[in-house]
Amino acid sequence: CLRGYIEDGVNGVICEKDVGEMKRRVASFRRSPDAAAMAERTRALYSEKFGFGQLARRIKELFNHE
């Protein structure tokens, strides 16, 4: 269900449903110097893909479609 929302290492961390792996991935993410940059990319990608501007563009396309 995360496909299209999260890209591993770009705007989030994806791992198997295993408690040990989840703990390792979260711990390594928290220590990463890229964590702040990843959070910023997450905000930008969300706005680009799912924000109000994107919704407005899609509605406009629907009205303009004949």
Side-chain angles (χ1 to χ4, degrees):
C1 69
L2 297 176
R3 192 171 292 132
Y5 291 95
I6 297 177
E7 296 177 49
D8 192 28
V10 175
N11 65 336
V13 178
I14 298 175
C15 63
E16 295 297 320
K17 294 179 183 178
D18 173 73
V19 174
E21 183 180 355
M22 287 180 195
K23 287 181 178 180
R24 285 189 296 279
R25 294 295 306 264
V26 169
S28 69
F29 170 74
R30 287 184 176 160
R31 288 190 306 266
S32 171
D34 298 327
M38 188 181 295
E40 188 59 38
R41 283 194 302 272
T42 300
R43 285 184 201 91
L45 286 171
Y46 179 84
S47 178
E48 176 186 313
K49 291 182 177 184
F50 309 107
F52 182 76
Q54 181 64 354
L55 174 63
R57 280 189 288 279
R58 289 181 178 178
I59 291 171
K60 181 182 174 188
E61 288 173 5
L62 288 172
F63 281 113
N64 290 334
H65 183 71
E66 295 181 20

